Amino acid sequence: DSGVTQTPKHLITATGQRVTLRCSPRSGDLSVYWYQQSLDQGLQFLIQYYNGEERAKGNILERFSAQQFPDLHSELNLSSLELGDSALYFCASSDGQGTNQPQHFGDGTRLSIL
Amino acid sequence: AQSVTQPDTHITVSEGASLELRCNYSYGATPYLFWYVQSPGQGLQLLLKYFSGDTLVQGIKGFEAEFKRSQSSFNLRKPSVHWSDAAEYFCAVGAPGYSTLTFGKGTMLLVSP
């Protein structure tokens, strides 16, 4: 158990819809990272938050947004969903904001777009 | 920017045999290097990490990795593979001053009886 909790585990929805994925980091961790994992693209970094502020942005679409709340949990919002958004979405957390801080991953949310 | 290459997408090893998974990175200085393992239906678990110092690092589950600067490599090894090691393995690189990791495409390990 990594201590990172992601909900829901599975999500099935239709094209054009909007969903919210939730992540609770390990106790004490201030950084939250979001990744998208698909068969063709592999593990792609989306965005990082540190103590409530955006720290780094990766290959995140404009239709996607995220935030980190004062209690440090984070949400990833995906809107105007397309078939290609079907993927496994991971959240990871670390206690610092540099890459010398190992990231601890949740079990992911599997998003299926019908 | 840094990059990571895992040349093998799939590897099959007999149970009890030794294992080596390859990882090559591209970065101008010494990066931070990681190996993660992902079992089906689960998230990534950190096996080991290298920041500096001794180039042979020990990790969990009997894994070790060796940093070779001259070859820009960080290969993962295990002397005797168990069936429970079947999973996907990811190499990742980070850089001082940066906050994000770059992951390789992964190597799927299959263990035959």
Side-chain angles (χ1 to χ4, degrees), chain A residues 33 35 37 40-41 43 45 48 56 88 90 97-100 102-103 105-107, chain B residues 32 34 36 38 41-44 46 49 51 90 94-95 98-101 103 105:
Chain A
Y33 307 79
Y35 292 89
Q37 186 180 41
D40 53 345
Q41 296 291 327
L43 195 63
F45 166 72
Q48 178 205 5
L88 200 50
F90 285 109
Q97 53 182 319
T99 55
N100 59 340
Q103 296 180 21
F105 283 75
D107 287 341
Chain B
Y32 303 134
F34 305 83
Y36 284 85
Q38 183 180 22
Q42 296 187 10
L44 280 70
L46 180 66
K49 59 186 184 290
F51 294 156
F90 293 89
Y98 289 82
S99 59
T100 62
L101 295 178
F103 284 83
K105 295 286 190 186

Side-chain angles (χ1 to χ4, degrees), chain B residues 41-89:
Chain B
Q42 296 187 10
L44 280 70
Q45 180 183 22
L46 180 66
L47 285 176
L48 47 79
K49 59 186 184 290
Y50 173 79
F51 294 156
S52 64
D54 192 348
T55 57
L56 186 63
V57 294
Q58 302 297 320
I60 62 171
K61 304 186 180 187
F63 285 92
E64 65 179 27
E66 185 172 13
F67 170 63
K68 292 186 177 180
R69 184 191 309 275
S70 61
Q71 299 176 18
S72 298
S73 69
F74 188 57
N75 294 349
L76 182 71
R77 301 194 295 246
K78 186 169 185 178
S80 176
V81 168
H82 188 262
W83 64 265
S84 60
D85 293 323
E88 190 158 22
Y89 292 80

Side-chain angles (χ1 to χ4, degrees), chain A residues 35-54:
Chain A
Y35 292 89
Q36 180 192 60
Q37 186 180 41
S38 60
L39 283 175
D40 53 345
Q41 296 291 327
L43 195 63
Q44 297 283 312
F45 166 72
L46 296 178
I47 197 164
Q48 178 205 5
Y49 279 82
Y50 177 76
N51 204 20
E53 295 196 4
E54 183 184 304

Side-chain angles (χ1 to χ4, degrees), chain A:
Chain A
D1 182 12
S2 67
V4 178
T5 303
Q6 289 188 248
T7 56
K9 291 192 183 306
H10 298 94
L11 203 47
I12 302 174
T13 188
T15 55
Q17 295 299 304
R18 172 190 169 93
V19 297
T20 298
L21 313 184
R22 182 187 168 99
C23 169
S24 294
R26 283 192 328 162
S27 177
D29 283 358
L30 299 178
S31 271
V32 169
Y33 307 79
W34 285 99
Y35 292 89
Q36 180 192 60
Q37 186 180 41
S38 60
L39 283 175
D40 53 345
Q41 296 291 327
L43 195 63
Q44 297 283 312
F45 166 72
L46 296 178
I47 197 164
Q48 178 205 5
Y49 279 82
Y50 177 76
N51 204 20
E53 295 196 4
E54 183 184 304
R55 271 292 180 263
K57 235 174 182 177
N59 301 319
I60 188 166
L61 300 172
E62 286 192 10
R63 301 184 285 108
F64 295 1
S65 65
Q67 54 185 327
Q68 186 179 28
F69 296 86
D71 67 353
L72 300 177
H73 91 271
S74 178
E75 293 180 355
L76 178 67
N77 301 295
L78 315 176
S79 62
S80 303
L81 287 168
E82 302 174 0
L83 292 176
D85 298 328
S86 295
L88 200 50
Y89 291 84
F90 285 109
C91 167
S93 73
S94 67
D95 60 3
Q97 53 182 319
T99 55
N100 59 340
Q101 307 293 323
Q103 296 180 21
H104 303 271
F105 283 75
D107 287 341
T109 293
R110 183 170 294 281
L111 176 63
S112 299
I113 312 298
L114 303 180

